[in-house]
Amino acid sequence: MSRPDAIPASAVRSEANTVKPFNRRHFPLDGWEMTLVVLLVLVLVGFSWAAPGFYDGMPDLLSMAENFLPFGFVALGLSLVIFTGGIDLSVSTTASLTAVVVAQLWHGFGMNIWVAAGIGLLLGALLGAINVLVIIRLKIEPLIATLATSFIYGSIATAVAGNAPPSGFPDAFNALGGGALGILPYQLLLFVPLCLGFWLLVARSAYGRKLVMVGYNREVALYSGIRVERILVVAYVLSGVMAAVAGLVLAAYYSAARPDMGDPLLLATLTMVVLGGVSIFGGEGTMLGVILAVFILGFLRQGMMIAGFSDMVTTMVTGAILITSIAVKNLFNKRGTGLGNQLWALLRRPEATGSEPE
Amino acid sequence: MKFKKNAITLAACLGVAAVTATGALAADQKVDTSKRIKVAMVPKLIGLSVFKANEQGAKKEAKKLNIDFLYTGPVTASAQGQVDVFNSLIARKFDVITTTANNPTELAPALRRAMKKGIKVVSYDSDVAPDARDFFIQNTSYPAFGKALVDSVAKYTGPDAKIAILSSTKDATIQNAWIDALKAYMKTAYPKMEIVTTQYGESSPSKSLTAGLNIIQAHPDVTGIIAPDGAAEVGAAAAVQKLGKTGKIFVTGASDPDSIRQYVKAGIIKASPLWDEVKEGQLVMYVARLAHNNALKPNDHFEAPGLGSFEVKNKVIVFSKPLVFTAENIGKYHF
């Protein structure tokens, strides 16, 4: 259960002496991630066997990823925020607003679609920056702050979209959502390097260490001389940018921009991040886990749809997975409050103390 | 209603005549149902009674036409939810997808993908982009429905009434087309009639009720509310009832009989046009079968047994004239 990859080295050393860093470097999977790998294999094999149409050759399986990778982009950015112990509820409307603004720049102002897309990414960064400024400067809880900005961004998106939101983008742009290079969808070609980047950022950079420390114990981080606010700014801005990327990819996929386009993003991405092993209280988790969870939940949803389950059931299952993963994390929480760990300790105590009476 | 009955009797007569007069030819015209096919019906959302009525008819017709029928859709009225469903139907190799679109643009790429894989696409009720479907079944022609809406209140409010419109959303395709049509008809038939305000209830019962209350309170001289949307009509009628304006303000719209029954009985809604959703569902399946058999040209003419004869114009089929529900006939319809 321990995630030495992400928990600050000092914390790891103090709580578990058995961790051998060298072993970890050669074989960087911990218990949770191994579980996720097994789950992913189960999902893929299970549906290929049980749901006719799920596995129809590698190209089809890869192109199925187009249906859920927009969630993946958001999950990458959102996990940074959750690492800090915060939350970004505005990812959905950030994606919608970006899509609508880019579409209007292209349609209404005759701007080149790629230039407009670039502006869209900047807009995502700006919206993320507004979130974090509200959180830091106005000292408002991230939950409330991003809920409020989420309403604001959503309303602006509706206003900008107008009565007839633009659609029918150039084919070159649409390819970003539905095109492929050989058998590799462009979405996947964009997702893989971003995964690598985020993994390096969290697991292998000084920023990543500080990020996790801020989430694990903000006070300690502050007194250790970490510029907590700077860490937060980067996390929220990147979350905004990744939501914007998702907005662009969605717009390309549907060849249309709608002010409610990003709505389904929040529940699914939050579930991906939490299932990936990132603690909702911050300070724990790995990027690799999140990436695995993106594919597990994505293929699970596609598989269930192909097996004939209704949208209602898949949404319900997503909610159930969200609760289960948080519950399991809480049960085995390392911070002394985990019920599972307490039980485990209770079970082991007689063994340890068994010789004492004698 | 009378017209419909006549039309059906006429069609039945024609059918009988055709069978007796030219037996061989009639056999040729009969739709080929030898191969069992898989047809899916994807409404805007599952659980809405008008779409259930479509399903009811479609199920009945599917049995006759050797069709494996599946009714599936998103839980909320979301185009993206519909696309998810389409993707799964494509993977499951369905032969025909029939759908009513939450919006015309977002669905198009997925449906084009389906068409590329040889799946026939038939839209009904709300259309998708024309290049993303093989045929579209329109409920009823826009001008005819606009006329029916205005006539349904004009008879009770008088020709110089002040009218309010309560629609669904600002960018709802059908509602906007109906509103344009009713304005055009109003101008010629009742030039003194005036539309004082247009509000939107977002197809939500609670928002529609609030919007209805706002209209009545802000415009005390309004005597008729035209609410061409299921939730809007119910919301407007509930607002009239709540403020005790029964008999002073008359409501009409486009809603299924089950939802408006109590308001029709209370006299708030005197007449309310729609079409026979059950029969429309039957026609959707019939066209799905024809489309799969490649038996329908973009401009064509066909007979559907028990439903009547239909014209195909540029891939569009108009289903029927409006069917107006009143206190007298509403007891006959259950959907």
Side-chain angles (χ1 to χ4, degrees), chain A residues 56 163 167 254 261 301 306, chain B residues 80 84 92-93 105 171:
Chain A
D56 205 13
N163 286 1
S167 63
Y254 294 108
M261 186 155 236
R301 197 177 140 73
I306 290 171
Chain B
Q80 275 144 290
D84 282 342
R92 294 162 76 184
K93 303 203 167 53
T105 53
D171 64 345

Side-chain angles (χ1 to χ4, degrees), chain B residues 44-211:
Chain B
K44 292 184 189 184
L45 71 164
I46 47 178
L48 204 68
S49 62
V50 282
F51 297 135
K52 287 234 166 186
N54 293 147
E55 182 202 2
Q56 199 186 318
K59 235 183 191 166
K60 202 167 100 186
E61 193 73 11
K63 253 183 217 147
K64 288 189 216 160
L65 296 171
N66 199 16
I67 287 173
D68 242 343
F69 174 73
L70 177 72
Y71 181 74
T72 179
V75 192
T76 54
S78 127
Q80 275 144 290
Q82 286 186 300
V83 170
D84 282 342
V85 173
F86 295 153
N87 287 333
S88 73
L89 295 172
I90 295 169
R92 294 162 76 184
K93 303 203 167 53
F94 267 71
D95 297 295
V96 186
I97 294 175
T98 67
T99 188
T100 164
N102 276 311
N103 71 63
T105 53
E106 264 184 298
L107 301 186
L111 290 176
R112 273 187 223 119
R113 248 194 332 268
M115 289 169 79
K116 239 187 233 163
K117 298 212 165 186
I119 299 171
K120 297 285 179 193
V121 177
V122 176
S123 60
Y124 63 96
D125 185 55
S126 294
D127 200 5
V128 295
D131 65 336
R133 44 92 172 144
D134 294 286
F135 294 101
F136 169 50
I137 297 169
Q138 192 179 27
N139 302 319
T140 149
S141 81
Y142 293 136
F145 203 78
K147 174 179 183 299
L149 282 171
V150 176
D151 288 342
S152 293
V153 284
K155 203 170 152 192
Y156 309 96
T157 60
D160 50 0
K162 299 221 182 319
I163 302 287
I165 292 176
L166 177 55
S167 183
S168 57
T169 54
K170 272 192 164 181
D171 64 345
T173 324
I174 298 194
Q175 270 73 17
N176 286 343
W178 283 341
I179 293 171
D180 288 345
L182 77 87
K183 281 180 180 161
Y185 173 70
M186 205 182 266
K187 223 174 246 168
T188 54
Y190 305 98
K192 281 189 184 159
M193 212 176 246
E194 190 193 340
I195 293 171
V196 292
T197 179
T198 302
Q199 300 292 325
Y200 301 92
E202 316 271 328
S203 284
S204 137
S206 61
K207 281 185 192 165
S208 299
L209 172 62
T210 314

Side-chain angles (χ1 to χ4, degrees), chain A residues 201-348:
Chain A
L201 182 69
V202 173
R204 293 285 180 271
S205 78
Y207 173 80
R209 293 279 150 170
K210 292 176 188 165
L211 174 81
V212 173
M213 186 149 181
V214 167
Y216 197 78
N217 194 327
R218 193 163 164 170
E219 298 294 305
V220 170
L222 196 65
Y223 287 118
S224 322
I226 291 175
R227 299 183 181 200
V228 172
E229 296 192 342
R230 199 176 279 183
I231 302 288
L232 291 181
V233 169
V234 174
Y236 281 87
V237 167
L238 280 179
S239 177
V241 172
M242 292 310 289
V245 170
L248 293 176
V249 172
L250 281 176
Y253 181 79
Y254 294 108
S255 190
R258 307 257 321 165
D260 57 359
M261 186 155 236
D263 285 1
L265 290 173
L266 185 62
L267 173 69
T269 51
L270 199 58
T271 312
M272 284 167 177
V273 174
V274 173
L275 176 65
V278 179
S279 164
I280 199 79
F281 307 110
E284 284 176 48
T286 62
M287 235 32 239
L288 189 60
V290 174
I291 295 160
L292 284 168
V294 167
F295 286 96
I296 293 174
L297 262 189
F299 279 120
L300 179 72
R301 197 177 140 73
Q302 296 300 314
M304 288 183 66
M305 302 285 294
I306 290 171
F309 289 101
S310 78
D311 181 40
M312 198 156 38
V313 179
T314 54
T315 309
M316 220 160 67
V317 168
T318 311
I321 292 175
L322 179 61
I323 292 182
T324 313
S325 14
I326 294 184
V328 170
K329 285 239 75 153
N330 282 354
L331 280 177
F332 296 101
N333 190 326
K334 291 268 168 183
R335 298 182 201 176
T337 54
L339 186 61
N341 272 348
Q342 284 174 4
L343 281 176
W344 183 239
L346 207 69
L347 284 175
R348 278 172 50 162

Side-chain angles (χ1 to χ4, degrees), chain A residues 46-244:
Chain A
F47 280 115
S48 301
W49 174 71
F54 181 79
Y55 184 79
D56 205 13
M58 208 53 197
D60 274 20
L61 192 70
L62 287 176
S63 76
M64 201 186 288
E66 286 169 1
N67 304 336
F68 62 78
L69 279 185
F71 297 96
F73 295 111
V74 179
L76 290 180
L78 184 62
S79 38
L80 293 190
V81 169
I82 297 183
F83 268 123
T84 71
I87 185 100
D88 185 352
L89 296 181
S90 73
V91 287
S92 298
T93 49
T94 300
S96 305
L97 180 53
T98 306
V100 167
V101 166
V102 168
Q104 289 291 21
L105 286 176
W106 166 76
H107 181 257
F109 295 86
M111 198 179 272
N112 177 295
I113 189 80
W114 297 107
V115 177
I119 294 176
L121 293 181
L122 290 178
L123 176 67
L126 175 73
L127 298 176
I130 293 174
N131 283 339
V132 74
L133 281 182
V134 171
I135 293 166
I136 294 176
R137 294 277 169 257
L138 305 180
K139 301 213 183 309
I140 297 175
E141 281 295 308
L143 186 78
I144 304 298
T146 55
L147 180 67
T149 55
S150 148
F151 285 129
I152 297 171
Y153 301 164
S155 308
I156 299 175
T158 310
V160 172
N163 286 1
S167 63
F169 303 122
D171 283 342
F173 181 72
N174 292 342
L176 178 65
L181 188 72
I183 65 162
L184 295 173
Y186 286 119
Q187 279 199 38
L188 198 62
L189 292 176
L190 183 62
F191 188 64
V192 170
L194 280 169
C195 284
L196 195 64
F198 274 83
W199 176 73
L200 285 174
L201 182 69
V202 173
R204 293 285 180 271
S205 78
Y207 173 80
R209 293 279 150 170
K210 292 176 188 165
L211 174 81
V212 173
M213 186 149 181
V214 167
Y216 197 78
N217 194 327
R218 193 163 164 170
E219 298 294 305
V220 170
L222 196 65
Y223 287 118
S224 322
I226 291 175
R227 299 183 181 200
V228 172
E229 296 192 342
R230 199 176 279 183
I231 302 288
L232 291 181
V233 169
V234 174
Y236 281 87
V237 167
L238 280 179
S239 177
V241 172
M242 292 310 289

